[in-house]
Amino acid sequence: MAIYIKGPEEIAHMREAGRINALVLEAVRRAARPGVTTLELDRLAARLIRAHGAEPAFLNYPSGTPGVPPYPATLNVSLDDELVHGIPSRRRLRAGQIVSIDCGTRYQGYIGDSAITFAIGEASPMAKRLIEVTREALQRGIAACRAGNRVGDISAAIQTWVESQGFSVVREYTGHGVGRDLHEDPEVRNWGTPGTGPVLRPGMTLALEPMVTVGPPLLYVKGDGWTVATVDGSLCAHFEHTVLVTEGEPEILTAL
Ligand code: MG
Ligand code: MG
């Protein structure tokens, strides 16, 4: 395992990548209304990223699975029981759905990676609670992202909170280091033991991304080879920020 510590110039690029990514997610969130297709959201994101002199970081990402083509789009748009990696399509959004949007932006060779989940119109009380619990899980993970702590402290903060609320964390997918590559060391699990794992040091940049299910955290991949959904069809949510470990407070690089 090699964890890359970023220098000041690299961090400046990552700040800009993160800022652009945040602007794009906010624009997509505003555009997401009943009747809009997920492909229209994708085109909006691609246009905005390129207008900022940056590139979509997910486009052409290798699947790692023989026979499954590289990722074909800018966004992951995952609906209801879909957790991550939903491929934009002609599907139209409907009121009452929850939508998870994950976006990556590469600027000057450095990547910002973040995700949000929100309701289209009015969601069920359970969906609202799921979204709030997952959002709070990310905040608790970020609060643990301090120099001298260990990766397991982040993991435990997320898991403890989510399970205390009666929901489950997913085991198949994790947060990760991020920088020149979309996925760098270390793996940042959403479950774990305090005081274990690599020590956090200033200059590390981590993508924290709690993925939470209402039902059992059992997943499958749909026939397109990418879209990940819950086996029992129950709702799930996903929030993500790219975070810089500093000498003091953690800096969220993908916040507006
Ligand atoms: Mg992401
Ligand atoms: Mg990520």
Side-chain angles (χ1 to χ4, degrees):
M1 180 163 66
I3 303 176
Y4 296 105
I5 305 286
K6 277 75 176 184
E9 200 170 321
E10 298 181 288
I11 289 168
H13 291 329
M14 290 200 64
R15 264 193 201 109
E16 184 59 10
R19 190 184 71 86
I20 296 165
N21 212 59
L23 289 173
V24 170
L25 274 185
E26 177 59 15
V28 167
R29 192 183 64 75
R30 286 182 193 207
R33 293 184 305 270
V36 172
T37 71
T38 60
L39 194 57
E40 286 166 339
L41 298 180
D42 195 71
R43 292 195 176 127
L44 169 64
R47 204 162 58 234
L48 283 173
I49 289 172
R50 296 195 193 279
H52 283 89
E55 293 162 27
F58 296 171
L59 184 63
N60 294 323
Y61 193 83
S63 74
T65 306
V68 176
Y71 195 71
T74 295
L75 299 177
N76 300 160
V77 185
S78 311
L79 304 178
D80 292 329
D81 61 318
E82 297 170 357
L83 177 69
V84 287
H85 306 166
I87 299 176
S89 71
R90 297 206 172 122
R91 285 195 296 184
R92 291 186 190 282
L93 299 176
R94 297 191 312 270
Q97 284 180 317
I98 64 171
V99 52
S100 298
I101 299 191
D102 195 345
C103 187
T105 294
R106 182 183 284 104
Y107 178 79
Q108 298 290 321
Y110 289 87
I111 292 171
D113 184 11
S114 55
I116 52 175
T117 300
F118 57 92
I120 304 298
E122 189 68 13
S124 69
M126 178 61 92
K128 284 185 192 167
R129 201 165 78 78
L130 170 69
I131 290 170
E132 280 320 305
V133 166
T134 310
R135 188 202 314 273
E136 173 67 17
L138 175 56
Q139 291 310 317
R140 289 181 181 230
I142 292 169
C145 227
R146 304 185 73 95
N149 278 2
R150 289 174 181 265
V151 171
D153 296 317
I154 301 172
S155 305
I158 292 170
Q159 179 182 21
T160 304
W161 164 250
V162 169
E163 292 181 351
S164 78
Q165 298 304 302
F167 296 141
S168 297
V169 290
V170 159
R171 304 300 204 273
E172 281 93 335
Y173 302 90
T174 69
H176 49 91
V178 58
R180 278 198 171 276
D181 289 320
L182 180 58
H183 296 111
E184 298 183 348
D185 289 333
E187 189 175 75
V188 185
R189 296 175 174 179
N190 293 312
W191 73 100
T193 309
T196 63
V199 176
L200 303 179
R201 302 189 190 286
M204 286 185 183
T205 44
L206 306 174
L208 274 52
E209 48 183 318
M211 293 169 237
V212 175
T213 61
V214 169
L218 302 174
L219 305 173
Y220 75 103
V221 179
K222 291 191 172 181
D224 61 23
W226 280 99
T227 309
V228 176
T230 58
V231 168
D232 69 352
S234 64
L235 294 177
C236 48
H238 176 211
F239 279 85
E240 178 179 28
H241 269 310
T242 297
V243 180
L244 170 68
V245 180
T246 75
E247 302 281 357
E249 295 297 315
E251 181 181 338
I252 303 173
L253 299 177
T254 44
L256 273 183

